[in-house]
Amino acid sequence: MSKKLVCYGELLWDLLPAGEWPGGAPMNVAYHLHKLKCDTTLISRVGKDKHGAGLIALLSQWGMSTDYISTNRYHPTGIVYAHAGDGHEMKYDIVFPSAWDHIIWDERFTSLMQDSEYLVFGSLACRNHTSANTLFALLEAAKTKVLDINLRPPHFSYQVVEQLLHKANILKLNLEELELIAGRYAALHTVADKVQLLQDRFGIGTIVVTLGASGAMLNMDGNIYRHPGYRIQVADTVGSGDAFLAGMLSKLIDAAPPAAMLDFACAMGALIASYTGACPNYHAGEIEKVKNFSRAEALFTQQPISGT
């Protein structure tokens, strides 16, 4: 794969009931892209502390570049307290301030963006003006802008979200986020209509919505694709949406048909939900096993997998 990707934003530790796990949506996406053999660079910041040193050591151990991970001596490495709510959905307490709130511009970013095709970013990186200013400077230089909206109350404003939506070429969000955003403009009932509203209002060519256990829906240039998702024994859902996005982008780079792209993304998300933590040790061959397991279970129960 020759097209390079840059992931920008939070780099942190998820504190789960089962222990501490590396996380942050941009890092999670970068990790899974790296596992899928995509040329990916992560831009973030950690504190000058043991948590920061631990993240740098892990990235190096995984074979990922740390060249654009800066160190902040004044703010600690990011921490998130995570716990499971109803239906395996995770709830998060994202500590503020953290080092990744203070990502400052580096002149090396200019050449990095010139050499890269995709910039993956989210709204959480805009909760503090320093990282927000750096992100908007990156967006000016970016070619294809991939927005993983990641709304985490109270860490966002709708004004900033609208600014990011106007910049995006590709948007990924979950059902709750879709309802929050689309509901500000119109009272619509179907997922497809809400997606179309955002596509028309903000001029976004590709929008994909993850629907939890019900799979996902993709609107690409006005054409709609649906996938029912894959059955899996869920350990936790931390990072499954990030894995989904990485799977989708890897197939987009491969110029796969939209339906195949969505299928692979759903399998990736399901696979990571079967593990604890956002960045488990796995190999790409397990993705096909997820598909085979789901098909076998569907045949055994003689019931169709629920649609979207």
Short mmCIF file of all heavy atoms in Angstrom, two decimals, residues 7 11 27 52 67 76 87 104 112 118 132 144 150 158-159 172 174 184 186 202 222 239-240 242 245 296 303:
data_model
loop_
_atom_site.label_atom_id
_atom_site.label_comp_id
_atom_site.label_asym_id
_atom_site.label_seq_id
_atom_site.Cartn_x
_atom_site.Cartn_y
_atom_site.Cartn_z
N CYS A 7 -2.77 9.96 11.77
CA CYS A 7 -3.80 9.98 12.79
C CYS A 7 -3.41 11.02 13.83
O CYS A 7 -2.28 11.02 14.33
CB CYS A 7 -3.97 8.62 13.45
SG CYS A 7 -4.52 7.32 12.32
N LEU A 11 -3.77 10.39 22.96
CA LEU A 11 -2.96 9.20 23.25
C LEU A 11 -2.97 9.06 24.77
O LEU A 11 -2.55 9.97 25.49
CB LEU A 11 -1.54 9.39 22.73
CG LEU A 11 -0.50 8.31 23.02
CD1 LEU A 11 -0.95 6.95 22.51
CD2 LEU A 11 0.84 8.68 22.37
N MET A 27 -4.88 6.79 18.32
CA MET A 27 -3.87 5.75 18.47
C MET A 27 -4.44 4.38 18.13
O MET A 27 -3.79 3.55 17.51
CB MET A 27 -3.30 5.72 19.89
CG MET A 27 -2.04 4.87 19.97
SD MET A 27 -1.76 4.09 21.57
CE MET A 27 -3.04 2.85 21.58
N GLY A 52 3.51 8.12 30.21
CA GLY A 52 4.00 8.53 28.89
C GLY A 52 5.11 7.64 28.40
O GLY A 52 5.12 7.21 27.24
N ASP A 67 8.09 9.29 16.14
CA ASP A 67 8.79 10.51 15.74
C ASP A 67 7.95 11.77 15.96
O ASP A 67 8.50 12.86 16.13
CB ASP A 67 9.19 10.43 14.26
CG ASP A 67 10.28 9.41 14.01
OD1 ASP A 67 10.90 8.95 14.99
OD2 ASP A 67 10.52 9.06 12.83
N PRO A 76 0.11 15.95 32.51
CA PRO A 76 0.30 14.49 32.57
C PRO A 76 -0.23 13.77 31.34
O PRO A 76 -1.06 14.30 30.59
CB PRO A 76 -0.50 14.09 33.81
CG PRO A 76 -1.61 15.10 33.86
CD PRO A 76 -0.98 16.40 33.39
N GLY A 87 -25.96 -3.02 27.70
CA GLY A 87 -25.73 -3.50 26.33
C GLY A 87 -24.30 -3.46 25.90
O GLY A 87 -24.00 -3.29 24.72
N ILE A 104 1.38 20.98 20.09
CA ILE A 104 1.78 22.23 19.44
C ILE A 104 2.28 21.96 18.02
O ILE A 104 2.70 20.85 17.69
CB ILE A 104 2.86 22.97 20.26
CG1 ILE A 104 4.09 22.08 20.45
CG2 ILE A 104 2.30 23.39 21.61
CD1 ILE A 104 5.25 22.78 21.17
N LEU A 112 5.11 16.25 6.28
CA LEU A 112 4.38 15.01 6.57
C LEU A 112 3.03 15.00 5.86
O LEU A 112 2.64 13.99 5.25
CB LEU A 112 4.18 14.88 8.09
CG LEU A 112 3.35 13.67 8.55
CD1 LEU A 112 4.05 12.36 8.22
CD2 LEU A 112 3.08 13.76 10.06
N TYR A 118 -4.24 10.68 3.69
CA TYR A 118 -5.38 10.76 4.62
C TYR A 118 -4.96 11.37 5.95
O TYR A 118 -3.89 11.05 6.48
CB TYR A 118 -5.95 9.36 4.89
CG TYR A 118 -6.49 8.67 3.67
CD1 TYR A 118 -5.67 7.83 2.91
CD2 TYR A 118 -7.82 8.84 3.27
CE1 TYR A 118 -6.15 7.18 1.79
CE2 TYR A 118 -8.31 8.18 2.14
CZ TYR A 118 -7.48 7.36 1.41
OH TYR A 118 -7.95 6.72 0.30
N ALA A 132 -6.56 22.13 19.25
CA ALA A 132 -7.53 22.50 18.21
C ALA A 132 -6.87 23.35 17.13
O ALA A 132 -7.07 23.13 15.93
CB ALA A 132 -8.70 23.25 18.83
N THR A 144 -7.21 14.14 1.98
CA THR A 144 -8.49 13.50 2.31
C THR A 144 -8.66 13.53 3.81
O THR A 144 -7.84 12.98 4.55
CB THR A 144 -8.53 12.05 1.79
OG1 THR A 144 -8.26 12.04 0.39
CG2 THR A 144 -9.89 11.43 2.06
N ASN A 150 -16.67 11.12 17.43
CA ASN A 150 -16.30 10.81 18.81
C ASN A 150 -16.80 11.84 19.82
O ASN A 150 -16.01 12.42 20.58
CB ASN A 150 -14.78 10.65 18.90
CG ASN A 150 -14.37 9.79 20.09
OD1 ASN A 150 -15.17 9.08 20.66
ND2 ASN A 150 -13.10 9.87 20.45
N TYR A 158 -21.11 22.18 19.70
CA TYR A 158 -21.70 21.98 18.38
C TYR A 158 -21.12 22.95 17.35
O TYR A 158 -21.05 22.63 16.17
CB TYR A 158 -23.22 22.13 18.46
CG TYR A 158 -23.90 20.92 19.06
CD1 TYR A 158 -24.46 20.98 20.33
CD2 TYR A 158 -23.96 19.71 18.37
CE1 TYR A 158 -25.07 19.87 20.90
CE2 TYR A 158 -24.57 18.60 18.93
CZ TYR A 158 -25.13 18.68 20.19
OH TYR A 158 -25.72 17.58 20.74
N GLN A 159 -20.67 24.10 17.81
CA GLN A 159 -20.06 25.05 16.88
C GLN A 159 -18.79 24.47 16.27
O GLN A 159 -18.58 24.53 15.04
CB GLN A 159 -19.74 26.36 17.60
CG GLN A 159 -19.07 27.40 16.70
CD GLN A 159 -18.72 28.68 17.45
OE1 GLN A 159 -18.90 28.78 18.66
NE2 GLN A 159 -18.21 29.67 16.73
N LYS A 172 -17.25 9.19 9.98
CA LYS A 172 -17.68 7.97 10.68
C LYS A 172 -18.24 8.38 12.04
O LYS A 172 -17.64 9.17 12.77
CB LYS A 172 -16.49 7.01 10.84
CG LYS A 172 -16.82 5.75 11.65
CD LYS A 172 -16.08 5.80 12.96
CE LYS A 172 -16.56 4.74 13.92
NZ LYS A 172 -15.96 4.89 15.26
N ASN A 174 -21.36 6.95 15.31
CA ASN A 174 -22.28 5.90 15.74
C ASN A 174 -23.71 6.44 15.73
O ASN A 174 -23.95 7.62 15.45
CB ASN A 174 -21.87 5.33 17.10
CG ASN A 174 -21.90 6.36 18.22
OD1 ASN A 174 -22.69 7.30 18.20
ND2 ASN A 174 -21.04 6.18 19.21
N ARG A 184 -30.46 18.24 15.42
CA ARG A 184 -30.38 19.70 15.54
C ARG A 184 -30.99 20.41 14.33
O ARG A 184 -31.32 21.60 14.40
CB ARG A 184 -28.92 20.14 15.70
CG ARG A 184 -28.31 19.74 17.04
CD ARG A 184 -26.84 20.13 17.11
NE ARG A 184 -26.63 21.56 16.93
CZ ARG A 184 -26.76 22.47 17.89
NH1 ARG A 184 -27.13 22.08 19.10
NH2 ARG A 184 -26.55 23.74 17.65
N ALA A 186 -33.34 18.70 11.86
CA ALA A 186 -34.64 18.20 11.40
C ALA A 186 -35.05 16.98 12.22
O ALA A 186 -34.19 16.27 12.75
CB ALA A 186 -34.59 17.84 9.92
N PHE A 202 -23.48 19.30 4.66
CA PHE A 202 -22.05 19.56 4.83
C PHE A 202 -21.20 19.12 3.63
O PHE A 202 -19.99 19.29 3.65
CB PHE A 202 -21.55 18.88 6.11
CG PHE A 202 -22.19 19.43 7.35
CD1 PHE A 202 -23.21 18.73 7.99
CD2 PHE A 202 -21.80 20.64 7.87
CE1 PHE A 202 -23.81 19.23 9.14
CE2 PHE A 202 -22.39 21.16 9.02
CZ PHE A 202 -23.40 20.45 9.65
N GLY A 222 -24.02 8.93 -2.43
CA GLY A 222 -25.46 8.76 -2.64
C GLY A 222 -25.94 7.34 -2.72
O GLY A 222 -27.15 7.09 -2.75
N GLY A 239 -12.73 0.47 21.69
CA GLY A 239 -11.90 0.46 20.48
C GLY A 239 -12.48 -0.29 19.30
O GLY A 239 -11.86 -0.30 18.23
N SER A 240 -13.65 -0.90 19.43
CA SER A 240 -14.19 -1.65 18.29
C SER A 240 -14.57 -0.73 17.14
O SER A 240 -14.38 -1.08 15.97
CB SER A 240 -15.40 -2.49 18.73
OG SER A 240 -16.44 -1.68 19.25
N ASP A 242 -13.03 2.05 16.45
CA ASP A 242 -11.76 2.47 15.86
C ASP A 242 -11.21 1.39 14.94
O ASP A 242 -10.66 1.69 13.87
CB ASP A 242 -10.74 2.78 16.97
CG ASP A 242 -11.26 3.82 17.95
OD1 ASP A 242 -11.97 4.74 17.51
OD2 ASP A 242 -10.96 3.70 19.16
N LEU A 245 -13.14 1.52 11.71
CA LEU A 245 -12.67 2.58 10.82
C LEU A 245 -11.36 2.20 10.15
O LEU A 245 -11.18 2.43 8.94
CB LEU A 245 -12.50 3.89 11.59
CG LEU A 245 -12.00 5.08 10.79
CD1 LEU A 245 -12.92 5.39 9.61
CD2 LEU A 245 -11.84 6.31 11.68
N ALA A 296 -21.49 -19.86 10.61
CA ALA A 296 -21.80 -21.16 11.19
C ALA A 296 -22.89 -21.03 12.25
O ALA A 296 -23.80 -21.86 12.33
CB ALA A 296 -20.55 -21.77 11.81
N GLN A 303 -31.74 -18.93 11.97
CA GLN A 303 -32.36 -17.61 12.02
C GLN A 303 -31.44 -16.61 11.33
O GLN A 303 -30.22 -16.70 11.44
CB GLN A 303 -32.57 -17.17 13.47
CG GLN A 303 -33.61 -17.99 14.21
CD GLN A 303 -33.79 -17.51 15.63
OE1 GLN A 303 -33.16 -16.53 16.03
NE2 GLN A 303 -34.65 -18.17 16.38
#
